[in-house]
Structure formats: C-alpha cells, structure tokens
Amino acid sequence: MPQIPGCVFTVTISVISVSLQVTVEGFIGGSVVLPCSSAEHDLKLKDTDVHWRHNGSKHVYDIINGKDLKEEQDPRYKNRTKTFPEGYVRGNFSIKLSGLTHADAGKYICLITPSDEQETVELIVNVFFVAEPTTEKGNQTIDQENEEEIRPDSVEKSWLWILVVTLLTVLSILFIVIIFRRKISSCHMSGECGVASCVT
C-alpha cells in the first residue's frame, strides 16, 4: 500500500509597530494632558528613551534613560511642560502642556525606543472652554453658563424668602382686620359699649 508523504506547514508572523492616534481638546490659556504609554510589561527605564515631537520637528520633551532631558527642548515649551515621573515605571510617559495658544494645535508624536512604540495625539485648541455634558445638566451653551453665574442658587433662595415673608405679612394684616371688624360688629349689636370699648 503506497504511503502518503507528510506535509509540513510553516506560518510566518510579522510584528508590526502599531501607531495609535487620539484627539485631545483644550482651550486658549488652559492646559491639557497628552497621553502616551508603553505596552511593555518588563520596561527597563535605564534603557528607555521617549521623544515628544510637535508637527514632526519641534522638540517638546525628551526622557532619556528614564530621566528628563531639557537641553534640546524648544524654547516655546520651557516651563510649560510637565511629566509624571512616578508613572514612568508603569510605562506612563504622558505630558501636561499648559498656557495653550493657537500655535500649540497640531500633531504630537510620542516615540518610545527601543520598543518602537509610537502614539500620535491630535491637539485641537478652542477659543472658549466647552463643558463636558453630564447626566444632570446635559449640554450647556456659554450663554446658559453665564446666566447661571448671574442667577446663582443663593439669589433664588433669597427671592423665595422675600416672597414667604411678604405672604405671611399680608395674611397677618388680614387676620387682624377680620378680628377687629368682628369685635366692632359685636359691640354695635350689643349696644352696650361705647366707641372706646369698641375700638379696644
């Protein structure tokens, strides 16, 4: 009986460095956190370099061998960038950028070596602060927020107190008038009291 020759299958797996992209929104004069993290579980800080670049060329921030290096930093980012060193061991290399201007908008690239991980962050800088919608308030326009600032809860409560006090005062006056009129009518009906006793 003829034998069937064995077949050998080979599978080739290619590891591709994936570049993630996120969008972050900020506003003029405010601050934002640009996220960047490594997926490496056994990260060795002394062998890790992180390079933050803006629009491909501007040196925003460098972390070399797990330490901040500011010598090559572009002057426009000096004293405006902050990292989170306590998060380095967990692979968190995010940076906080403050004092935002329109010039800060654009694409930020975070490159981690030697793992060749790359994250791209698109920063959008708005003129006004836009509040995040919540389950209680929902979306609010700037006019609505300003209106709330003009009419806070304390003002509304004071109007409520004024209304209650006014109502009680009116009711008290009505009660006194009714009692007074009944006393006068009872005096007239009996015919035994004078004017002074009727009034009192």
Side-chain angles (χ1 to χ4, degrees), residues 2 83 101 113 138 155 163 184 187 192:
T83 57
T101 67
T113 58
V155 176
L163 183 64
I184 289 175
C187 267
E192 297 177 357

Side-chain angles (χ1 to χ4, degrees), residues 120-137:
T120 304
V121 182
E122 182 76 28
L123 175 61
I124 298 170
V125 180
N126 298 308
V127 177
F128 297 107
F129 174 68
V130 180
E132 290 290 328
T134 61
T135 54
E136 293 179 1
K137 291 186 178 180

Side-chain angles (χ1 to χ4, degrees), residues 12-16:
T12 305
I13 300 174
S14 301
V15 178
I16 301 171

Side-chain angles (χ1 to χ4, degrees), residues 2-195:
Q3 291 185 352
I4 301 172
C7 296
V8 178
F9 295 96
T10 59
V11 178
T12 305
I13 300 174
S14 301
V15 178
I16 301 171
S17 177
V18 178
S19 176
L20 302 174
Q21 179 165 343
V22 295
T23 301
V24 174
E25 289 192 43
F27 61 97
I28 298 291
S31 60
V32 291
V33 173
L34 306 177
C36 179
S37 58
S38 172
E40 291 286 319
H41 296 293
D42 54 346
L43 193 68
K44 295 179 178 64
L45 285 180
K46 62 183 181 65
D47 300 325
T48 303
D49 295 342
V50 180
H51 305 281
W52 274 99
R53 298 293 178 264
H54 180 206
N55 290 336
S57 60
K58 294 176 184 173
H59 287 62
V60 181
Y61 213 94
D62 288 320
I63 303 168
I64 307 299
N65 299 330
K67 295 181 180 179
D68 298 350
L69 182 69
K70 299 181 181 179
E71 283 79 6
E72 301 292 325
Q73 188 180 37
D74 191 295
R76 70 183 312 272
Y77 300 106
K78 285 190 183 295
N79 302 318
R80 296 178 55 220
T81 49
K82 177 190 171 188
T83 57
F84 306 94
E86 66 280 359
Y88 291 173
V89 291
R90 298 189 301 274
N92 180 10
F93 300 108
S94 304
I95 61 170
K96 182 178 181 179
L97 185 60
S98 58
L100 293 177
T101 67
H102 279 302
D104 293 319
K107 217 167 255 190
Y108 289 80
I109 293 175
C110 172
L111 178 63
I112 305 173
T113 58
S115 60
D116 289 333
E117 296 171 275
Q118 180 176 310
E119 288 192 33
T120 304
V121 182
E122 182 76 28
L123 175 61
I124 298 170
V125 180
N126 298 308
V127 177
F128 297 107
F129 174 68
V130 180
E132 290 290 328
T134 61
T135 54
E136 293 179 1
K137 291 186 178 180
N139 288 323
Q140 288 185 330
T141 64
I142 294 169
D143 291 336
Q144 287 173 327
E145 288 178 2
N146 290 340
E147 188 179 339
E148 284 187 1
E149 289 177 6
I150 294 168
R151 294 188 309 133
D153 290 340
S154 59
V155 176
E156 291 178 3
K157 286 179 182 176
S158 65
W159 276 109
L160 184 62
W161 276 112
I162 290 169
L163 183 64
V164 168
V165 169
T166 305
L167 189 61
L168 286 173
T169 305
V170 170
L171 287 173
S172 300
I173 291 170
L174 283 174
F175 181 74
I176 291 169
V177 168
I178 290 170
I179 295 297
F180 187 73
R181 289 185 68 178
R182 281 187 181 175
K183 192 171 184 181
I184 289 175
S185 64
S186 66
C187 267
H188 283 298
M189 287 179 69
S190 66
E192 297 177 357
C193 57
V195 176

